[in-house]
Amino acid sequence: MENQDSLFETLNPPQRLLMGPGPINAYPRVHQAISQSLIGQYDPVMTGYMNQVQSLYRGVFATQNKQTFLVDGTARSGIEACLVSILKPGDKVLIPVIGRFGHLLCEIAQRVGAEIKTIDIEWGQVCPAERVEEEIKRFQPKLVATVQGDTSTTMNQPLKEIGEVCHRHGVLFYCDATASIAGNDLLVDEWHLDAVSAGLQKCLGGPSGSSPVTLSDHCAEVINRRKHVEAGIRAAHHEQGDDVMIQSNYFDLAMIMDYWGPERLNHHTEATSMLYAARECARIFLEEGATNVIARHKVAGDAMVAGLQAMGLAVFGDQSVRMNNVVGVYIPNEVNGDAVRGELLNRFGIEIGTSFGPLHGKIWRIGTMGYNARQECVLTTLAALEAILLKHGARVDAGQAVAAAMALYC
């Protein structure tokens, strides 16, 4: 039973260096933004901030899409909002599955009642565009849905060629970019992406709780055919869609688009503090510049890999398509992976991740994201991991990891 005295203690969480697959430590400026005063959802200052967020995230997504906004909720809320708003019961969706989060897309599409066809890829690999085109021709889907960076495998699915295939065949293309955005290239317009959702808690360097979303004009039109205005706020000038109503109220992107539109038609109360956080994440990204931020993530990721390999550890998956911001590394046979992670956390205050499904207990996942895509975070993590592995009797090459990582920063 909970100690009653602890319920009234001042909140004082321990300081951790979050070097797992996410969440990660937020940028200090984001913490500062969250602490700002709350204001009303229709205050002109607030609606002005909402407009700014839309413009900022067009820059982050590399898009001109008018319909660029936030869904209030964790990254999964954006995924579900996109899928439930695009797909009707009986619609066909093609899903290349390269890891755990491809299975999540299947789960959500199944709950919608869609007809699902998967392309099942061995974990540690990515899906060739040719396979997608073959299945489009056979299956004739309304939507192709995939994950760009699947942290369960650390792989980064190439999107450009799949986007060209979808565009050529008139198929909508959705991508979950939660773990990849701001650490890897993501060019929404150039790659013909119709719908993309993301989260703040990875390379964007914020807290979990807000999901940036962008929709192409065509995708927004498809969703608005299902538009429904609630009876309590409906006026004579409102037009209803002529297609099947979206099955979720909260995740109804047609209504959310109206809330973010000029009329500010009420749907929910915008999560003010999270909007502040999302705004600051985008400002930091755009101020540093996409090219510089992505290069910083690549150097940090490459340095982590170099250090792990110099230690004598083997990395997981096809390294030519690994995400810049997270690496999978095989757990040495002679140690207990969870025990090493626990001691790393308790002695050094550093968190790294385990994995899921067929990789559970086989690999650790180590992230270099956002504010933590820095030399000192990489070197500290490598030094601490080496010390714990040596203590647990692992056969590693001592004294090599930090030097190998430092070499990439010279």
Side-chain angles (χ1 to χ4, degrees):
M1 185 174 178
E2 185 69 40
N3 182 336
Q4 292 300 303
D5 291 338
S6 68
L7 299 178
F8 298 94
E9 291 177 355
T10 300
L11 193 66
N12 187 29
Q15 294 294 313
R16 305 292 198 200
L17 177 57
L18 302 179
M19 297 295 287
I24 50 79
N25 302 93
Y27 289 106
R29 278 174 49 182
V30 175
H31 285 290
Q32 185 180 46
I34 291 172
S35 70
Q36 298 303 311
S37 299
L38 300 181
I39 53 179
Q41 63 176 326
Y42 296 118
D43 187 309
V45 176
M46 180 62 177
T47 55
Y49 288 153
M50 292 173 73
N51 290 338
Q52 290 175 11
V53 163
Q54 291 185 281
S55 181
L56 288 164
Y57 275 92
R58 290 185 189 109
V60 173
F61 281 118
T63 185
Q64 298 298 314
N65 288 342
K66 176 183 176 183
Q67 298 301 344
T68 302
F69 47 81
L70 303 177
V71 172
D72 288 346
T74 64
R76 188 174 297 212
S77 72
I79 299 171
E80 186 152 349
C82 287
L83 293 181
V84 76
S85 297
I86 295 170
L87 295 171
K88 301 176 296 186
D91 279 345
K92 292 182 177 181
V93 56
L94 176 65
I95 304 176
V97 177
I98 65 169
R100 179 245 169 127
F101 294 100
H103 288 295
L104 172 62
L105 302 187
C106 295
E107 159 91 10
I108 295 171
Q110 182 181 21
R111 289 173 181 267
V112 171
E115 183 181 344
I116 302 162
K117 171 71 174 177
T118 63
I119 303 174
D120 297 306
I121 302 298
E122 180 184 354
W123 286 30
Q125 305 295 322
V126 294
C127 183
E130 294 78 14
R131 290 279 306 276
V132 175
E133 186 159 32
E134 290 168 6
E135 294 301 335
I136 284 175
K137 290 176 179 177
R138 291 194 192 100
F139 187 56
Q140 298 292 306
K142 174 182 182 179
L143 177 72
V144 169
T146 195
V147 177
Q148 184 182 26
D150 196 313
T151 54
S152 67
T153 67
T154 75
M155 296 297 103
N156 187 37
Q157 172 65 55
L159 299 176
K160 181 180 179 181
E161 293 78 9
I162 295 177
E164 290 170 353
V165 166
C166 291
H167 184 67
R168 187 161 60 247
H169 290 276
V171 176
L172 291 169
F173 188 22
Y174 162 74
C175 173
D176 164 25
T178 300
S180 53
I181 193 170
N184 307 267
D185 287 326
L186 177 65
L187 305 175
V188 168
D189 288 356
E190 184 177 326
W191 294 350
H192 302 293
L193 287 156
D194 290 290
V196 183
S197 65
L200 305 185
Q201 74 274 19
K202 310 278 188 176
C203 302
L204 280 168
S208 178
S210 185
S211 180
V213 168
T214 190
L215 306 172
S216 70
D217 290 347
H218 175 53
C219 188
E221 179 187 340
V222 169
I223 292 169
N224 276 323
R225 291 173 195 156
R226 305 175 67 188
K227 184 174 179 176
H228 167 80
V229 181
E230 294 174 7
I233 57 174
R234 191 184 307 149
H237 68 279
H238 290 137
E239 295 183 4
Q240 303 280 71
D242 56 7
D243 209 338
V244 176
M245 184 170 66
I246 293 167
Q247 291 178 291
S248 171
N249 177 285
Y250 188 72
F251 295 135
D252 185 326
L253 288 184
M255 290 201 286
I256 293 174
M257 284 189 278
D258 276 346
Y259 180 63
W260 282 80
E263 190 176 358
R264 303 289 175 189
L265 191 61
N266 185 257
H267 175 254
H268 62 283
T269 301
E270 182 58 26
T272 310
S273 297
M274 285 307 306
L275 182 135
Y276 295 165
R279 178 180 179 273
E280 199 61 25
C281 288
R283 277 174 18 99
I284 291 168
F285 176 81
L286 295 174
E287 284 174 9
E288 186 175 349
T291 300
N292 294 331
V293 178
I294 292 166
R296 173 163 60 84
H297 280 83
K298 178 167 173 49
V299 170
D302 288 349
M304 182 63 74
V305 169
L308 293 168
Q309 290 179 325
M311 205 186 299
L313 302 181
V315 293
F316 171 77
D318 182 349
Q319 294 300 292
S320 70
V321 287
R322 176 182 56 81
M323 299 161 66
N324 290 331
N325 51 295
V326 62
V327 58
V329 58
Y330 283 100
I331 301 167
N333 292 330
E334 59 269 24
V335 304
N336 180 298
D338 288 340
V340 169
R341 287 178 60 241
E343 193 160 357
L344 191 63
L345 183 69
N346 293 325
R347 287 187 181 272
F348 289 93
I350 299 174
E351 179 181 279
I352 63 173
T354 182
S355 194
F356 309 106
L359 296 179
H360 181 70
K362 295 183 179 179
I363 69 168
W364 293 310
R365 295 174 300 150
I366 305 177
T368 49
M369 306 189 203
Y371 184 56
N372 293 346
R374 293 179 288 139
Q375 179 176 187
E376 55 265 43
C377 297
V378 173
L379 302 184
T380 300
T381 301
L382 286 168
L385 179 61
E386 179 184 296
I388 299 296
L389 284 173
L390 288 170
K391 179 177 180 292
H392 281 252
R395 293 186 291 274
V396 297
D397 297 324
Q400 303 301 311
V402 170
M406 287 174 63
L408 273 77
Y409 281 100
C410 292

